[in-house]
Amino acid sequence: MAENMIELRGLGKTFKTSSGSVTALEDINLSIGEGEIFGIIGLSGAGKSTLVRCINYLEIPTSGSVIFQGKNLGTLSDQELREARREMGMIFQQFNLLAQRNVLRNVTFPLELSGVSKTEAKERAIELLRMVGLEDRIKAYPAQLSGGQKQRVAIARALATRPKVLLCDEATSALDPNTTKQILELLKRINRELGVTVIVITHEMAVIEAICDRVAIIDQSHIAEEGPVSQIFSEPKTRIGKQLILGDAGKNVEFGERKVRLVFDGNVSQEPVIANLVLACKTPVNIVFANMKEIDGKSFGQMVIELPADETERSRALHFLAANQIKYEEVR
Amino acid sequence: MDSQMVSMMWEGVLETLYMTLWSTGLAYVIGIPLGVILVVTEEGGIRPIKPLHDILGFFVNIFRSIPFIILLFLMLPLTLILVGTQIGSIAIIPPLTASAAPYVARMVESSLKEVDAGVIEAAKSMGASTWQIIYKVLLPEAKPSLLVGAAIVMTTILGYTAMAGMCGGGGLGAIAANYGYYRWQADVMIVATILLVVIVQIIQELWMRGAKASDKRIR
């Protein structure tokens, strides 16, 4: 990872409404390196959409600064800001294609804005549409495309001006799981082949796990924690982190004193850990939740179990886990 | 009905279309920029300028609330300056335009407001300037809705041309009033009225088809 592409320093955003002011972001500090895929995850209302709009100054922060390639966006003139934005592509949950323009003219649109000649723009657009696999639909209008195809057009459009950064605001949230997977693979390919820094905003941990190198968890206008995805996954420090990692299926898991989350990485998943635990400790455990994930090509398993009420039995079970080098943490 | 009557009716059709098309065209020349300014400068718009928006909105409302027949008389001195006469079909074009322009401004405003805010945001994220957003996003994306509005405006203006008789103008409305009302020739009035209805139907039908064909949102 080379130098920082984007730095957020003490970023804050407060909205003034008729019923007083609302703080959307407070004291956000993040560094996003060149060429990485950085995830920002949070529940709805956490402030992540505002955060991504502050990165390209669609929302002007009320405090702090955004440093993009060494330039403080807050000090730029309108013209310089528009030029900076051309180096940051953006895609959206609702695709936001121009409904009255066909696929080709949607992709040439940003090139038209920056004054590129028509023939050059067309060549570049066709090249991009080929990359996203839509070269045979260039005459189609957005209404004739599926959600996944629309997002591909949006990606091609966002890349037209050869940006250094691609901002993805819930880019897969309106798509089905299969299409989501394809779009995420495309984003990963763009990152690898074109070296574009990708910033992914989402409320789904699965998206982060699928493509991100690092992740920041945003909760109630603050960064709760950040780090490499595999590290956050195996050792989340905050309650919100634990919640997000268990995901939608784990929503019904009630956190409590006796609940423990175990994390298995590929190496220990051969052992019948729970069976051994029950046999060795002579105490029953209740499996509350379990699933498998793949992060960075490694498979991880996670399980939430409920330990017995008796304190000695409980500490015996925890000892067993520690002795067998199973990562665990209490979830509460 | 003799041939003289037929040629008079034909004359009436042409004069009606002449007044309608000129007034509609000129009303749009004035109304589109006004509508664009109303949308762009409103609170939360692309370039909010509240005082300008409020003042413009105020004048649009004032002009919209003056009854056309009064505006026709009030504007007579100005009409003389603009078209060199106060009588005839041409003399109704300035007051018709002045009466329709604020109406057009509101129609344009509501059409432009239908444009998806997300698309405007996307254009901004690509570094579009205010001017580029107006003529590359707002107006083209609102085109089908603008065309539907134009059909409504045109048929409304056509109705108002019937008052051209008040300033010595021609057209089907004047024929209907002069022959039917002042000379008790009900048959002339009925024919002129039917012709007016037919013209409105044709404009409406053709225009709406055009609007629909231009809308790429339909598969």
Side-chain angles (χ1 to χ4, degrees), chain A residues 34-193:
Chain A
E34 190 177 346
E36 74 172 328
I37 305 186
F38 191 87
I40 296 170
I41 186 169
L43 303 172
S44 59
K48 52 193 192 301
S49 272
T50 308
L51 178 56
V52 72
R53 277 162 182 74
C54 282
I55 294 178
N56 63 2
Y57 256 59
L58 284 178
E59 293 283 4
I60 296 164
T62 39
S63 61
S65 49
V66 178
I67 316 288
F68 171 59
Q69 293 188 311
K71 282 175 293 190
N72 183 344
L73 293 186
T75 63
L76 300 184
S77 68
D78 278 4
Q79 176 63 32
E80 288 169 322
L81 182 60
R82 285 199 294 272
E83 272 158 26
R85 280 183 184 150
R86 284 176 195 149
E87 297 193 63
M88 289 191 259
M90 186 169 184
I91 58 173
F92 305 83
Q93 178 171 4
Q94 295 305 330
F95 324 122
N96 293 347
L97 297 177
L98 293 143
Q100 305 296 341
R101 280 176 171 241
N102 65 22
V103 166
L104 181 69
R105 294 192 59 233
N106 259 287
V107 182
T108 58
F109 179 70
L111 298 168
E112 263 174 50
L113 294 180
S114 52
V116 174
S117 79
K118 267 203 174 132
T119 42
E120 201 180 318
K122 194 177 166 187
E123 266 171 40
R124 171 83 181 133
I126 290 174
E127 174 192 324
L128 283 161
L129 286 166
R130 192 171 299 135
M131 188 187 77
V132 301
L134 280 174
E135 71 270 34
D136 53 340
R137 301 304 309 268
I138 61 171
K139 289 269 160 59
Y141 284 89
Q144 298 163 317
L145 302 178
S146 69
Q149 288 173 324
K150 282 184 206 169
Q151 198 59 290
R152 282 167 193 274
V153 175
I155 291 171
R157 181 175 72 172
L159 294 175
T161 49
R162 301 179 199 274
K164 302 279 192 323
V165 177
L166 182 62
L167 305 171
C168 311
D169 182 24
E170 296 277 9
T172 57
S173 300
L175 304 173
D176 62 65
N178 221 350
T179 316
T180 294
K181 217 176 136 201
Q182 291 168 3
I183 295 291
L184 292 177
E185 270 162 22
L186 177 62
L187 291 176
K188 206 164 187 174
R189 216 179 85 210
I190 286 162
N191 168 259
R192 217 172 37 227
E193 290 174 12

Side-chain angles (χ1 to χ4, degrees), chain A residues 53 96 99-100 112-113, chain B residues 118 121 132 136 141 215-216:
Chain A
R53 277 162 182 74
N96 293 347
Q100 305 296 341
E112 263 174 50
L113 294 180
Chain B
E121 189 179 43
Q132 283 175 323
K136 279 185 183 291
E141 288 292 299
D215 191 353
K216 309 301 186 201

